[in-house]
Amino acid sequence: MGSIPFIRKATWYGGRGLFATEPIPAGTLLHTCPAPYASVIYRIFRKEVCGHCFAYAFDARRSAWNIKLAVGGGVWFCSEQCRDEWVRDGVGNVGEVVGAMNAAVDKLAKSMDKRAAGQTSPEVVAAVTTQDALDSAWAAAERASVSDQPIQPLNELELDTVRFLLSALVRRHLDDTMRTAAPLNGWADLLELQDNELAYVRGRPHVLASHLRIFAFVRRIAAAVPALAPYLATAATVRAVLARDQGNVFGMYELSTQGDSEMLGWSMYVSASYFNHDCAPNVRKERLGRAMMFYTTRDVSPDEELCISYIDVADAVADRRKELSLNWYFDCVCKRCERELGNI
């Protein structure tokens, strides 16, 4: 991690966290994650949010952006500079890959709407409660012939999840072929994030059927984008991203002086996810364009864990713990919770 004043190590309560290696004054910029590993702008906002800096058109008193890629489509920009930087960051062929990807998604989505009109997506009836059962379901999906499978309808959130997954596949492709991975933001770093797949499926049984439909859809896209095909020979890459989507991504909100308001999409900042939660956090996050930045909110002592808040910490302790358990899959044991529960 270079000369930054913290290290990553195991916590006493499980997993890993970031710990100060020296006294850190309040207001210190601890870490900047310059860009997400994967992201998606909700389809309804694609023309209103810059594909590079995530600027919201309505903040600039505009109804939409009108600058697009010269090759391909599905991405809009607030300026020619953002468009050019986006292409340059992708190292050469990203415009062609993403353009083909978006065109394929839109084409298949339209075909799906026509062929699946009036159909209801089949769901997995039996709840999956074991890893073996989950693995078996995915193995069956891998064995299924892509061309012989009927097109199943996807809802708007599922289509946005398709685009999120494809952005991750494009990033992995570029990292593998162009060696573009930023420090702590590569594929190996992503795999170190908490895997919530089984817990997520246990808590929401309908999710497995949804994820299998998404996987089938993404595999069809690979036929139009050969560069991504190697990552879809098995379900491993898709499963890895979906398993870490829950509990490790950040909502992409409008940057408003009144605070967070409209949620425009979501992003996975790998290194940012190394900050654990505390109900009395000593670190705050701030998005500046596509970068995520982290500042200390008070003086921090050596060996003190550096934590952000995942939820509204103004809520009562029971509500905070319930939300963290339901959506982040852990029971909070921070000092504030223990104190408010009367345990210390």
Side-chain angles (χ1 to χ4, degrees):
M1 289 189 180
S3 61
I4 55 180
F6 58 84
I7 60 172
R8 185 177 59 181
K9 64 179 183 180
T11 69
W12 66 268
Y13 49 84
R16 82 287 171 274
L18 301 178
F19 292 81
T21 55
E22 59 188 64
I24 306 175
T28 298
L29 174 60
L30 288 170
H31 178 59
T32 299
C33 189
Y37 188 91
S39 64
V40 64
I41 298 165
Y42 288 137
R43 188 181 183 186
I44 59 172
F45 291 122
R46 279 196 294 175
K47 294 182 180 180
E48 300 165 14
V49 179
C50 177
H52 181 71
C53 74
F54 301 150
Y56 188 33
F58 281 77
D59 287 343
R61 302 182 184 279
R62 298 277 300 276
S63 59
W65 305 122
N66 57 13
I67 298 174
K68 296 182 65 176
L69 292 170
V71 178
V75 187
W76 282 260
F77 302 94
C78 66
S79 67
E80 292 183 357
Q81 179 181 350
C82 268
R83 179 196 61 198
D84 295 344
E85 288 182 2
W86 188 88
V87 172
R88 184 168 59 251
D89 288 347
V91 191
N93 68 341
V94 71
E96 295 180 6
V97 172
V98 174
M101 175 189 77
N102 283 321
V105 172
D106 291 341
K107 181 178 179 180
L108 191 52
K110 290 178 181 178
S111 172
M112 178 185 65
D113 289 341
K114 292 178 180 179
R115 294 172 60 179
Q119 295 183 17
T120 301
S121 299
E123 301 288 345
V124 174
V125 177
V128 171
T129 59
T130 68
Q131 190 65 50
D132 285 345
L134 186 57
D135 292 342
S136 295
W138 278 100
E142 288 180 341
R143 292 192 299 268
S145 170
V146 177
S147 58
D148 292 341
Q149 285 184 296
I151 295 178
Q152 296 183 15
L154 272 68
N155 60 37
E156 196 68 27
L157 178 59
E158 289 170 334
L159 286 171
D160 284 331
T161 302
V162 166
R163 293 183 174 87
F164 176 77
L165 279 170
L166 289 169
S167 75
L169 293 174
V170 170
R171 176 51 52 194
R172 189 177 181 192
H173 161 67
L174 291 173
D175 289 352
D176 288 348
T177 57
M178 307 293 183
R179 301 292 186 263
T180 60
L184 297 179
N185 202 41
W187 181 252
D189 303 302
L190 183 150
L191 294 179
E192 288 194 32
L193 300 180
Q194 180 173 311
D195 182 334
N196 294 314
E197 182 184 43
L198 183 58
Y200 187 38
V201 171
R202 281 175 171 170
R204 299 168 176 82
H206 70 279
V207 163
L208 179 56
S210 176
H211 283 179
L212 295 178
R213 288 196 300 274
I214 289 169
F215 175 57
F217 192 102
V218 171
R219 291 177 82 189
R220 284 178 177 267
I221 300 302
V225 190
L228 305 184
Y231 306 108
L232 295 165
T234 72
T237 297
V238 167
R239 288 184 71 181
V241 176
L242 290 175
R244 290 158 181 82
D245 181 352
Q246 295 300 315
N248 287 299
V249 297
F250 294 80
M252 184 192 304
Y253 287 91
E254 168 189 4
L255 295 180
S256 169
T257 56
Q258 284 75 41
D260 290 345
S261 51
E262 191 79 66
M263 184 171 170
L264 308 171
W266 74 92
S267 302
M268 180 179 287
Y269 291 86
V270 176
S271 61
S273 292
Y274 292 142
F275 287 96
N276 287 329
H277 167 84
D278 195 290
C279 292
N282 53 16
V283 176
R284 67 176 177 86
K285 65 181 183 294
E286 178 181 322
R287 182 170 66 82
L288 181 62
R290 66 191 289 103
M292 190 71 77
M293 310 171 78
F294 295 85
Y295 297 85
T296 52
T297 58
R298 58 171 174 78
D299 293 345
V300 177
S301 301
D303 207 36
E304 184 177 350
E305 186 174 7
L306 298 160
C307 294
I308 61 175
S309 62
Y310 295 176
I311 57 171
D312 186 348
V313 295
D315 291 342
V317 60
D319 294 331
R320 298 197 310 268
R321 289 170 62 83
K322 180 179 179 180
E323 184 174 354
L324 290 167
S325 176
L326 181 64
N327 296 315
W328 280 270
Y329 313 103
F330 68 88
D331 295 321
C332 189
V333 292
C334 73
K335 290 182 179 179
R336 179 184 171 189
C337 279
E338 293 295 288
R339 184 174 63 253
E340 292 179 7
L341 290 170
N343 294 334
I344 57 174

